[in-house]
Amino acid sequence: MEISQCISAVARPIHDFGDEFMSDGATAGIGLRAGFAPGRGFYCRGRFGVLGEAPTAVVQAVQGFLGPRLVTRGWLAGQPVMPAQEAAACYAQAVREWGRAHIPADADVEHFNHLARQLIDAADADALPLFAGWRTQPCPDDDPAGAAMQRIHVLREHRGACHLAAVRMCGLNAQAAMVINLGVEQAAHYGWQDPQPVDTARIPRLQRAERITDEMQMPLYAHLTNRQRTEFARLIDELTAR
């Protein structure tokens, strides 16, 4: 399988499977049991905790696509509960627990882990801080399904960071990209205050950003052979089958 075909095949399933984890009430429940109040505290403190004790403005700049108010409230709400790195470890545990519950039992997680580890370890993390942070999180070998889900999450962070850079390169800010992609109502749901419709003439900029995102990911998937890319796309289908 060619690199571009592999990216087209795996990008959406990785993104959507990660979204399912993030929006699942069971994930929020893990945060509640860990001491986080209802809301975005566990999500923000856990997902962005790999950045360390960063100021909220830095966290906002790194993650990009969520509105500043949502990120600020979530990050600050989580601070009294536990240190950033501890919260990241707790969030990683939630990622693995969700994977054990949702990855099909007959999926070849061992082969997936072999290929995904190869990709993640060899990746260039320059200008991709969330990906770099998540790559440093321990990923236990004695929990194959959990490790597979954690690696799906890390690969999702890789594409997300590439996409944020591509969006800015194309002359859009993150809010405009969210409005074009999801609409005004959903952009507000994701924390943007009073988002406004975007001029339709700017829509091609987001389409160009998608193409650039793919281009930025090409060196990542170049670490696999054509045959391995075919296997990787098949394995992603297996793991994310619902």
Side-chain angles (χ1 to χ4, degrees), residues 35 50 56 127 139 184:
V50 294
T56 54
C139 197
V184 169

Side-chain angles (χ1 to χ4, degrees), residues 10 25 33 90 101 103 105 119 175 207 231:
V10 306
R33 292 192 293 275
C90 185
I103 289 176
L119 285 175
Q175 179 179 1
Q207 296 168 339
E231 292 170 352

Side-chain angles (χ1 to χ4, degrees), residues 21 91-100 134 146 149-150 153:
F21 156 73
Y91 197 76
Q93 182 179 349
V95 170
R96 294 192 296 271
E97 184 172 320
W98 196 89
R100 290 194 296 272
W134 271 100
M149 186 62 203
Q150 185 167 328
H153 177 78

Side-chain angles (χ1 to χ4, degrees), residues 204-225:
R205 297 189 183 193
L206 186 61
Q207 296 168 339
R208 178 170 174 252
E210 290 285 356
R211 294 193 295 271
I212 293 173
T213 303
D214 288 351
E215 292 171 7
M216 292 175 70
Q217 285 210 291
M218 284 185 175
L220 176 74
Y221 290 97
H223 292 293
L224 301 181
T225 66

Side-chain angles (χ1 to χ4, degrees), residues 46 58-59 86 88 161 171 173 236:
V58 174
V59 176
E86 185 178 334
N173 59 29
I236 285 291

Side-chain angles (χ1 to χ4, degrees), residues 180 197-204:
I180 294 171
V198 175
D199 187 341
T200 55
R202 301 179 74 192
I203 292 176

